[in-house]
Amino acid sequence: IVKNDIKKYAEASDVNVNIIKEELSGFPIKYKSIDDIVLDNYTYEYNSELLTIKPTLMQQPIYLMSNLLKSNCRHSGLPDWGTVYISYLPSNVEIDEGSLLDYLISYRNHQEFHEECCERIMFDLLPILNPTWLRIELRYTRRGGLDINPIRVYSRSNEYNYSHDKEYSTFRREFRQ
């Protein structure tokens, strides 16, 4: 039915359904929220040493997210709330999710621009994970009418195929205002 409808409306003589299946197979990417993890105590001063890893045999991408990111503007000191999306293909270790949550909460009193926070998270995770690819996206609450949503991608030998349309359509706008 889909093939016939596309042919009809696109006025095409033929449609390659395999391409359609490939494009649809990646939707939606399911990010696992780490926000429900209960920690014994929380650190509100930035500390990359909170990150711990554990061995893994998994050779599939891992998708994690948290709505608990808060950092502060470097100039004004005003709070910036955001959602963190972390995805990566592990080599032989994966991040301990509780330590990742503790690490993200440690940004509470940290003062940096959004882009710098994204870069810092990337370079804190890269050496301990040594992933095949790693993608960090921070989606901050709009402030002053501006959306600032930095994305940082690392890929060893181009193994991460970035498609803006495919990945951006996965996200719904986070409403916080």
Side-chain angles (χ1 to χ4, degrees), residues 94-157:
E94 66 182 90
I95 195 78
D96 176 76
E97 294 170 8
S99 76
L100 179 60
L101 180 61
D102 201 12
Y103 165 76
L104 294 173
I105 290 173
S106 81
Y107 275 81
R108 290 290 163 107
N109 293 326
H110 188 69
Q111 287 192 283
E112 265 186 331
F113 293 128
H114 302 126
E115 299 86 351
E116 292 170 315
C117 290
C118 189
E119 190 82 3
R120 183 175 300 277
I121 293 170
M122 170 67 75
F123 284 104
D124 285 344
L125 290 174
L126 267 177
I128 64 169
L129 286 176
N130 190 27
T132 303
W133 56 262
L134 173 64
R135 182 177 186 275
I136 310 293
E137 180 168 356
L138 307 182
R139 293 183 159 262
Y140 279 93
T141 301
R142 194 177 276 190
R143 187 156 59 86
L146 298 174
D147 269 339
I148 301 177
N149 301 308
I151 300 172
R152 185 73 165 84
V153 177
Y154 160 83
S155 180
R156 223 183 309 152
S157 67

Side-chain angles (χ1 to χ4, degrees), residues 2-30:
V2 171
K3 184 176 178 177
N4 289 333
D5 286 349
I6 291 173
K7 280 173 47 176
K8 177 182 171 185
Y9 292 108
E11 297 177 0
S13 59
D14 195 20
V15 175
N16 186 343
V17 179
N18 292 333
I19 293 173
I20 296 168
K21 285 181 184 174
E22 279 180 26
E23 290 176 5
L24 293 176
S25 67
F27 292 103
I29 296 172
K30 300 287 186 190

